[in-house]
Amino acid sequence: MKPRGMKLLIKVFLAFLLTSLLIVGGLALLGHSLSPEKSLSPVIENNAVNYFQSLGAKIQNEDDIRRIYKDLQLHVRREGFEQLADSQGLPSFATTEKMDKDFSNKLSLGKTNGFYFAEVKGVTPRTVWFISYDEIPRAWLFPFLWVASFIFFIMAISFLTIRWMMSPIKVVVEGVNKISEGNLKYRIKTNHRGEFGLIADSFNNMADGLEKMIVAKEQLLRDVSHELRSPLTRVGVAVDLLADEKMKASIKDDLSKMEELIHQILESYRLKEGAKSLKKSNVNLSELISNVASDYEESMKVHLNLPEEASLHMDAMQMERVLRNLIENSMKYAKPSEPNELTISLQKDCDHWVLKLKDQGIGISEKDLTHIFEPFYRADTARSPGKSGFGLGLAIARAVIEAHEGTITVTSKMNVGSEFTIRLPK
């Protein structure tokens, strides 16, 4: 699929080309209307007449006619030597008279039977000069080749110029994509001035404001989360003094959920620091996956397709967290009336290990697919009774994978299932 910027570039270039052709065509029509092609230029006419008369003066016999053809590739039909012209298959005088285009008062000009012809009018003995279509000298074609080359050169320069003029659009589109991917530190750099320079400056100002707003919001959420820990601890101590065991258990459960939410919020921000937040060591990913999957054997059927050895330098605890989150999501959103099955595969792909987890659950709607990795986002199906959560699990999973310089994506069909794909550099 072609990039949108390239499509726009082609459209603009074609519009430019069409406009140029219309202008050239309009000028040609205007020139034709002002100076219709009904007569030759006097200079060309006189030079041609003198040239043909000088050649005709050299003809005394058939050998002279053959010599002219040998030197100039010009055939000749001349009164007194018509038998030679007939043997060469040249059109007759009567034929050339019919095909005269009436461009000139001094010359008969036209084409017939595969020949171009010219004759000086009113000259005796009558002489018509012919040149075959196939015998036009190559040198006569060179001007057309030069014209074609020049036109192609102009088109190439025009295309490159338009491409250069439109290059800022590509830069702006790239900037928008970077910001939409969450890279709030990205700024447009361009040497263009004028309107595109203003667009770049406006974009950068927008990105500055957006980054400050998001950072301020995250800092507030982080600070609030930190501050909530102490009150929650005190509430937990106070709850232990309650006499009503049922109420105590209910409050303890709510406090546990709040503490887990705070922990996930703080962990998601810690992982935003990237690789610096990881505690890496050499890990056999196949073994890690097998160990994690074994904990869920009683709840679901897990099919494993793993190599014996898949050594990676990674944070084992964080990767285990990702795996558990994805497996538990598969369990949570399984079809109620069908056996819950999950297939986990790991294989090499060029410079990456590709980990896939494919379930047969209720699936994710198309409108939710682009948002499920966003913090606190929960799809409509997740809001149904019995499916609790804070909407941070997949956001943390993505943060972990990106901290390992990898990617995580998902494809899904409603009532068919979902497939999460993780790519990790070897």
Side-chain angles (χ1 to χ4, degrees), residues 14 24 64 76 79 86 118 142 148 213 231 238 267 374 406 416 422:
L14 290 177
V24 172
D64 294 332
V76 182
E79 288 181 335
D86 292 336
F142 288 166
M213 181 178 67
E267 184 68 9
E374 296 176 4
V416 175
I422 297 173

Side-chain angles (χ1 to χ4, degrees), residues 43-57:
V43 175
I44 296 176
E45 187 179 55
N46 292 333
N47 287 338
V49 168
N50 293 333
Y51 178 71
F52 288 129
Q53 286 181 338
S54 64
L55 284 180

Side-chain angles (χ1 to χ4, degrees), residues 205-379:
N205 291 335
M206 178 201 70
D208 289 338
L210 188 62
E211 182 183 16
K212 290 177 182 177
M213 181 178 67
I214 298 296
V215 169
K217 185 189 74 172
E218 291 180 347
Q219 186 62 44
L220 175 63
L221 187 58
R222 188 183 307 181
D223 292 343
V224 169
S225 300
H226 272 295
E227 295 300 322
L228 282 175
R229 278 185 160 177
S230 296
L232 285 176
T233 303
R234 291 195 295 271
V235 171
V237 172
V239 168
D240 289 333
L241 302 177
L242 291 175
D244 190 331
E245 293 297 329
K246 186 176 181 180
M247 182 180 293
K248 182 191 295 186
S250 176
I251 296 174
K252 282 281 189 180
D253 184 57
D254 289 339
L255 287 175
S256 176
K257 290 179 180 179
M258 292 180 68
E259 288 174 350
E260 176 63 19
L261 173 60
I262 291 172
H263 173 72
Q264 289 190 21
I265 291 173
L266 295 177
E267 184 68 9
S268 66
Y269 287 123
R270 185 180 72 84
L271 288 169
K272 282 191 174 182
E273 297 177 2
K276 294 184 294 183
S277 64
L278 302 177
K279 297 178 181 179
K280 291 185 175 183
S281 61
N282 289 326
V283 178
N284 184 345
L285 184 55
S286 293
E287 183 178 337
L288 176 63
I289 295 170
S290 297
N291 292 337
V292 172
S294 65
D295 294 340
Y296 299 91
E297 289 179 349
E298 295 182 0
S299 304
M300 65 188 305
K301 188 171 184 180
V302 181
H303 305 279
L304 298 179
N305 181 14
L306 310 172
E308 292 185 4
E309 181 72 24
S311 180
L312 283 89
H313 194 62
M314 63 192 309
D315 188 323
M317 187 176 70
Q318 293 292 354
M319 185 54 62
E320 179 179 338
R321 183 177 193 172
V322 171
L323 290 169
R324 292 189 182 278
N325 180 280
L326 295 177
I327 293 174
E328 289 170 9
N329 268 357
S330 175
M331 295 171 57
K332 187 185 297 185
Y333 303 117
K335 295 176 182 176
S337 59
E338 297 183 13
N340 191 16
E341 295 189 15
L342 177 68
T343 301
I344 303 177
S345 63
L346 178 66
Q347 59 185 9
K348 288 181 180 180
D349 179 17
C350 297
D351 295 329
H352 291 79
W353 283 103
V354 181
L355 172 62
K356 295 187 177 184
L357 295 90
K358 184 176 183 179
D359 63 36
Q360 298 173 359
I362 61 177
I364 307 168
S365 67
E366 187 175 346
K367 69 182 182 66
D368 292 322
L369 271 178
T370 55
H371 301 288
I372 62 170
F373 292 109
E374 296 176 4
F376 302 106
Y377 183 86
R378 298 182 66 216

Side-chain angles (χ1 to χ4, degrees), residues 361-421:
I362 61 177
I364 307 168
S365 67
E366 187 175 346
K367 69 182 182 66
D368 292 322
L369 271 178
T370 55
H371 301 288
I372 62 170
F373 292 109
E374 296 176 4
F376 302 106
Y377 183 86
R378 298 182 66 216
D380 291 338
T381 53
R383 297 191 182 99
S384 57
K387 295 179 174 60
S388 60
F390 307 113
L392 281 171
L394 291 178
I396 292 176
R398 183 174 70 171
V400 171
I401 299 302
E402 289 181 349
H404 284 87
E405 298 181 357
T407 60
I408 179 170
T409 56
V410 60
T411 57
S412 184
K413 289 185 178 180
M414 294 298 294
N415 300 316
V416 175
S418 304
E419 182 178 67
F420 286 84
T421 301

